[in-house]
Amino acid sequence: MIDGAFARWLADRAGQALLELRAEMGFADAAALKAAGDKVSHDLIRSELAKWRPGDAVLSEEDEGSRLVDSTDGVSRLTADRVWIIDPLDGTREFSEEGRADWAVHVALWARNAPSPHGLVAGAVGLPAQHRVLGTDYPPAYPPMTVEAATSGDRTLRLAASRSRPPAFLTDLAGDVGAQLVPMGSAGAKIAAVVTGDVDAYIHAGGQYEWDSAAPIAVATATGLHASRIDGSALRYNEADPRLPDLLVCRKDLASRLLAALQRHSG
């Protein structure tokens, strides 16, 4: 199975397991459901990677050892040619809340010989409660809206924002560009909303790690969207320090406008 299709299959498998766990445990004990969700999805993904991609390294939110050296098989991700960057359950808070669908499963592949600066060559974002998977093997069509339509008065720009910790400057930035903030849960759900055209951009500057964005960025750039740090520099993955604290994902025709606004407000 080629890597893009494998990432999609893996995200879907983990997503189905998480839906089954949700149905089995219910929502009475949120902490227990969160912990069980992280473990079930992580164990499934790691097991399948070990079976089908045994020579590859792994960087996972749920495996502290993998952040520098894969503690399971001794493969250093810093010298490996291929590294799977996974977030088994992005948005544990939303996963533990009945009725919420803004949580995700992230599976991405970084390759040393990739042609792009971010190095991501395959990826999939599972949105289990939305019954869909977005992947690089069949990337969605570019969202069909021009900047003129967005600013004509017919439709206000919509910026996905964190439910719990949006950047302090984001309200002022939204006012500057005439945008509406749309609170959402996980990073994967927010970037997926840009990919599908439900929102026009996602700006984050509150601190994240590579696994929070690798798979969604792989899909977003395969779709043709702009993705960068908030200063306009390239996103880079499989770095020694996996922290990746800020990013901008948006339509390409909005990038220069939003980057200019970020210069005014994020300093």
Side-chain angles (χ1 to χ4, degrees), residues 59 66-68 77-78 83 85 110 117-118 210 229 235-244:
L59 171 62
S66 76
R67 299 181 185 186
L68 290 178
R77 68 175 182 84
L78 300 180
V83 181
I85 304 175
W110 174 94
H118 59 49
E210 292 184 9
R229 301 287 298 272
L235 295 162
R236 298 186 184 278
Y237 292 86
N238 197 37
E239 298 291 292
D241 183 348
R243 288 178 295 179
L244 188 54

Side-chain angles (χ1 to χ4, degrees), residues 157-163 180-184 190 198-199:
L157 282 177
R158 293 163 58 84
L159 305 182
S162 170
R163 291 174 64 201
Q180 171 190 359
L181 297 182
V182 183
M184 293 184 187
K190 289 190 277 283
D198 294 325
V199 298

Side-chain angles (χ1 to χ4, degrees), residues 5 21 37-38 48 62 84 103 108 113 116 122 129 138-139 141 165-166 178 201-202 204 214-215 217 223 228 238 262:
L21 179 69
D38 281 333
E48 296 296 346
E62 299 305 317
W84 292 91
W103 51 277
N113 63 353
S116 61
Y138 295 106
R165 51 183 188 278
Y202 170 45
H204 183 80
I217 291 299
T223 302
S228 70
N238 197 37
L262 279 162

